[in-house]
Structure formats: C-alpha cells, structure tokens
Amino acid sequence: MSDDAAPWLIVGLGNPGPEYAGNRHNIGFMVADLLAERIGGRFKAHKARAQVVEGRMGPPGPANRRVVLAKPMTYMNLSGGPVTALRDFYKVPLERIVAVHDELDIDYPTLRLKLGGGDNGHNGLKSMTKSMGPDYHRVRCGIGRPPGRMQVADFVLKDFSSTERKELDWFVDRAADSVESLIAEGLERAQSAYNS
C-alpha cells in the first residue's frame, strides 16, 4: 500500500467515562465527536482499546482523504498503546497521525498546530511519544493555566467554567476546522489560517 493510500489517523485525547466528559482535559474527545458528526459516522469499539470512526474528509477530488477518527478508551496516560495499535492496524505513517489535545501553555481559546516537539508535561502526548516517537502532528487547544494555587491535575480534570463554556462550541468548531484544513491543505496553510 503506497503512503498515498494510507489513511490519516486523528486522535482526540481524553479520559473515557461520563464523569470526565466535560473536563478541560477532554477537549480532544469533543473535537473528535464533532468531526465524526461532520463525516456522518458513529464511534464503534475497536480491538485496539479505542473507539473509531472511518470515513472521508475534505472537498471532493484529490484533497478528499481517508480518515480514521479515534478516541483511546484507556486513561490519558496510557494513550500511546491504543494509538500505536491503530497505527499498525491501519498502516498509518507517523506524519499522518494528528493528536488533538488540551494545552496549558496557550491561552483559552487559542489554537496552535505543529509537527513534532516535546510533550510539555501532557501525559497523553508523553505516552504517545514514548510509543512512537515525537514526529506526529498536534492540534493544541489552549486551556490556559490554573488560577491561583490550583494544582494542574485538578484544573485539567475540572469542567470548563461557565464563562469558558460560552465560547466552547465555537472553539471546538474551530479546532475541527483546523484538523480538516491540515489534512486537505497541509500544515503550513493550516497554521497560517488557525495559529493565533
């Protein structure tokens, strides 16, 4: 199978279970859910300990791409296992893997796209990088830093505040747009359109 025929693997990072659904740490799941809705798919359990949707994304023609959307069903710090298993199952080259995740060092609601880099203390990225190396795409959804002396772990596992929720749908929508742009037009064009 040529690389060109290989699908893109878009991984929304989060924690499984209803108690985590609205957490800042789960914005990756929110973006994956919206993308699934856009391509008209429903998540189904996969043997790789993940939920997946297969479909196509992008405009008709050569920019229309095969995609696999995934939500690992392990906890965040074990995301690398399911992602690696999906990569092997679908034969996805590393540069066609996109992790969508929350990012503390970027203000809410700001997006940054990049290829490769460190994990910045993010347990999901740390696990993926340990399993596969760092050279995958990231769609970094800024959530800002915890207020006052709040611990980072407490902050990321809290739901978005009522003020933040006013912009959350717009933010998730924009993050989903940026993923579509990355896949159809490449990193540089997506960065110039969405990196703020």
Side-chain angles (χ1 to χ4, degrees):
M1 175 154 114
S2 79
D3 263 10
D4 229 32
W8 282 76
L9 174 58
I10 300 155
V11 181
L13 291 178
N15 284 309
E19 68 275 29
Y20 297 106
N23 289 180
R24 293 183 178 93
H25 222 17
N26 271 42
I27 194 161
F29 274 17
M30 297 173 197
V31 175
D33 286 338
L34 179 60
L35 286 167
E37 204 177 292
R38 288 184 181 182
I39 65 172
R42 297 179 79 110
F43 280 99
K44 294 184 178 66
H46 189 280
K47 64 182 184 197
R49 292 179 305 163
Q51 288 189 345
V52 301
V53 175
E54 295 178 51
R56 299 195 78 85
M57 190 179 277
N64 189 267
R65 308 272 193 237
R66 269 183 68 212
V67 295
V68 178
L69 299 172
K71 298 192 293 187
M73 289 288 113
T74 54
Y75 286 106
M76 182 71 92
N77 59 343
L78 300 170
S79 302
V83 177
T84 304
L86 289 169
R87 176 199 68 183
D88 295 348
F89 182 84
Y90 290 104
K91 301 182 172 54
V92 181
L94 193 55
E95 67 278 5
R96 284 204 179 178
I97 296 176
V98 182
V100 184
H101 63 91
D102 57 306
E103 177 68 67
L104 288 159
D105 282 342
I106 301 173
D107 290 337
Y108 181 84
T110 304
L111 284 175
R112 298 266 166 77
L113 284 75
K114 71 173 188 175
L115 175 63
D119 57 53
N120 218 3
H122 191 288
N123 288 334
L125 297 180
K126 202 176 282 182
S127 177
M128 282 179 61
T129 297
K130 191 172 161 204
S131 297
M132 307 184 299
D135 297 325
Y136 50 89
H137 286 90
R138 295 92 187 283
V139 173
R140 304 154 73 206
C141 303
I143 59 169
R145 284 259 159 211
R149 294 168 178 258
M150 189 190 285
Q151 293 297 312
V152 164
D154 295 334
F155 179 70
V156 299
L157 294 176
K158 280 208 173 16
D159 285 3
F160 286 96
S161 70
S162 53
T163 313
E164 288 169 333
R165 276 200 296 272
K166 292 189 179 94
E167 290 181 290
L168 186 58
D169 285 349
W170 172 84
F171 190 31
V172 168
D173 200 56
R174 192 169 157 78
D177 290 347
S178 78
V179 170
E180 292 185 353
S181 168
L182 168 65
I183 286 169
E185 303 175 303
L187 181 61
E188 280 183 23
R189 292 186 72 169
Q191 283 175 324
S192 63
Y194 293 95
N195 279 16
S196 32

